[in-house]
Amino acid sequence: MEIIDFHAHIYPEKIAKKAAEFICDYYDLKEGMEGTSSLLLEQGKKAGISKYVILPVATKVDNVRSINNFVLEEQIAHSEFICFGTVHAGQENLIQEVEYIVSSGLHGIKIHPDQQGFAIDDSRLYPLYDSLQNKIPILFHCGDPKSNLSHPSRLKKILKEFPHLNVIAAHFGGWSIFEEAIPILKSESCSFDISSSLAFLSPKKAVEYIRTYGSEKMLFGTDFPMWNPVKEVERFLELPLTSCEQEQIAWQNAQRILKLS
């Protein structure tokens, strides 16, 4: 079975270890790995993963273009990588950055409200959302015990305001607040990834959430380097899903969203 990892992060070699440690410390995670592209490819190959959606995050306005150029170079260097771009609400040239992302061949946009310091429904992002309707997908980190910047209720507001956005809500729509997210988002027209979730949920509960949202909306993701791809694939394959559900989540839904041949 093909497996597409819809949620992975990589960093330049000189900061890969430090960046991964910082994120693991923030979320109090213990399984973190060094966030290099070479290690992702090595561990992903062991796990049977064939493609990786790389999701960069710029925490400062001044770093947006350099980070987008970094992931673009990685995408050119590695055919396995399908890279998204990053933007920041504080950018004066927000729409121009989106145009650069699209024209350069990046495949979507990642927003991490809690790390970037602005809310999903920050009005500065509304021109971005409007410009992306019926275009490339946008993936949001959702859920955080330390702030409500990425709360699923904020995402629901955006989904109502911009109904033609192609949205992926990470971590079952609400990391650490899985149960709270479900009644808010279960009827919305967006997709969800299951990254950074399976370690905290019983297989029975994970399958319950998948079927509540609908397996046709779900995407597999490892959240490397916070988690080991080999272990995450093992956790996924242990879920008591039907073969149809498994295929949808492992690669079919990703292939459709990314318009892969």
Side-chain angles (χ1 to χ4, degrees):
M1 179 178 67
E2 183 178 359
I3 301 175
I4 297 173
D5 180 354
F6 213 98
H7 197 128
H9 308 279
I10 56 171
Y11 309 96
E13 295 234 357
K14 63 182 180 181
I15 66 164
K17 187 173 187 295
K18 185 177 180 181
E21 287 174 349
F22 173 81
I23 297 170
C24 286
D25 287 344
Y26 180 89
Y27 290 109
D28 195 26
L29 301 175
K30 308 301 181 186
E31 293 189 24
M33 310 179 79
E34 190 169 330
T36 62
S37 57
S38 58
L39 185 58
L40 173 59
L41 290 166
E42 174 193 308
Q43 294 299 311
K45 185 176 181 179
K46 291 179 182 177
I49 297 169
S50 59
K51 298 281 186 184
Y52 311 81
V53 177
I54 305 299
L55 304 171
V57 175
T59 57
K60 298 178 181 178
V61 170
D62 292 345
N63 293 342
V64 169
R65 181 56 63 89
S66 63
I67 291 174
N68 284 334
N69 285 339
F70 165 69
V71 294
L72 180 58
E73 290 169 2
E74 289 291 316
Q75 180 173 271
I76 292 168
H78 304 289
S79 61
E80 300 94 336
F81 289 172
I82 300 165
C83 296
F84 280 31
T86 184
V87 296
H88 195 285
Q91 285 180 266
E92 293 182 2
N93 62 336
L94 188 57
I95 300 305
Q96 288 88 339
E97 194 66 34
V98 173
E99 291 171 352
Y100 176 74
I101 286 168
V102 173
S103 64
S104 66
L106 296 174
H107 295 264
I109 290 175
K110 163 69 183 288
I111 289 181
H112 195 309
D114 309 289
Q115 286 186 12
Q116 294 184 284
F118 51 81
I120 288 175
D121 56 348
D122 188 315
S123 61
R124 293 176 295 173
L125 294 170
Y126 280 34
L128 165 72
Y129 298 149
D130 191 41
S131 73
L132 289 178
Q133 292 198 93
N134 295 311
K135 294 183 181 175
I136 60 174
I138 182 168
L139 186 146
F140 294 95
H141 170 93
C142 287
D144 194 297
K146 300 178 183 180
S147 82
N148 76 343
L149 295 175
S150 64
H151 194 274
S153 61
R154 294 185 183 272
L155 178 59
K156 181 171 183 145
K157 180 180 176 182
I158 296 305
L159 291 167
K160 297 297 186 187
E161 194 81 21
F162 302 96
H164 301 295
L165 270 181
N166 186 356
V167 168
I168 300 104
H171 321 307
F172 279 102
W175 188 80
S176 76
I177 54 168
F178 305 116
E179 290 279 359
E180 190 175 340
I182 287 176
I184 297 171
L185 295 176
K186 68 179 181 180
S187 299
E188 298 300 320
S189 58
C190 63
S191 300
F192 304 85
D193 79 37
I194 65 173
S195 68
S196 277
S197 302
L198 300 183
F200 305 107
L201 300 170
S202 69
K204 181 180 179 181
K205 184 61 70 172
V207 171
E208 177 189 322
Y209 292 168
I210 287 168
R211 290 176 176 163
T212 298
Y213 283 129
S215 59
E216 73 281 358
K217 293 183 175 183
M218 307 305 295
L219 300 155
F220 174 75
T222 66
D223 214 349
F224 174 92
M226 278 63 81
W227 302 94
N228 185 317
V230 174
K231 291 184 180 179
E232 289 304 288
V233 169
E234 288 175 353
R235 287 177 174 131
F236 170 62
L237 294 178
E238 288 171 359
L239 297 178
L241 296 164
T242 67
S243 58
C244 177
E245 291 169 329
Q246 197 176 70
E247 295 269 357
Q248 285 179 313
I249 299 165
W251 66 275
Q252 289 176 352
N253 296 334
Q255 187 179 66
R256 170 176 45 79
I257 289 170
L258 296 168
K259 298 180 180 177
L260 302 177
S261 58

